[in-house]
Amino acid sequence: MKAKRKPYTPGSLMDPALAAAIKAAREAKGLTQKQLAALVGVATATASLWEEGRRGISTFHALMVSRVLGVQITMESTLSASQQKKLANAPTVTG
């Protein structure tokens, strides 16, 4: 029996939109999860967990996936919801 998927909790799991984007980009390039994992330097299980949204992705690995798949992943997409809110409300110093 398959385990129930835990809901997205900022900081512990990957944003579902980013997870779906990684999967779509990988499939568009015709790569398997095993091939992507090898190119990025992680275990196949890790790539699978990213795509399922069950494991967060480090900045380094997000950049590796971006380069390998030839897609742009913004740094904001690797942040939790609360971090994204803080970033959006950060003051801008001028002068």
Side-chain angles (χ1 to χ4, degrees):
M1 182 177 208
K2 202 171 188 179
K4 271 190 170 181
R5 180 178 283 180
K6 294 180 182 178
Y8 171 62
T9 305
S12 64
L13 303 175
M14 187 183 301
D15 175 64
L18 178 57
I22 290 172
K23 182 177 182 176
R26 175 186 60 78
E27 289 176 341
K29 293 290 184 179
L31 296 174
T32 64
Q33 287 179 341
K34 184 175 183 175
Q35 290 169 321
L36 175 62
L39 291 166
V40 175
V42 298
T44 303
T46 298
S48 175
L49 289 170
W50 288 339
E51 290 186 6
E52 293 172 8
R54 294 178 45 211
R55 176 174 285 174
I57 189 168
S58 69
T59 300
F60 172 75
H61 285 117
L63 292 169
M64 286 290 290
V65 167
S66 175
R67 177 154 306 182
V68 167
L69 297 178
V71 296
Q72 184 177 7
I73 297 177
T74 64
M75 298 311 300
E76 289 86 354
S77 62
T78 66
L79 300 176
S80 69
S82 64
Q83 289 172 325
Q84 288 181 23
K85 186 176 180 180
K86 286 179 184 178
L87 181 63
N89 294 321
T92 303
V93 178
T94 59

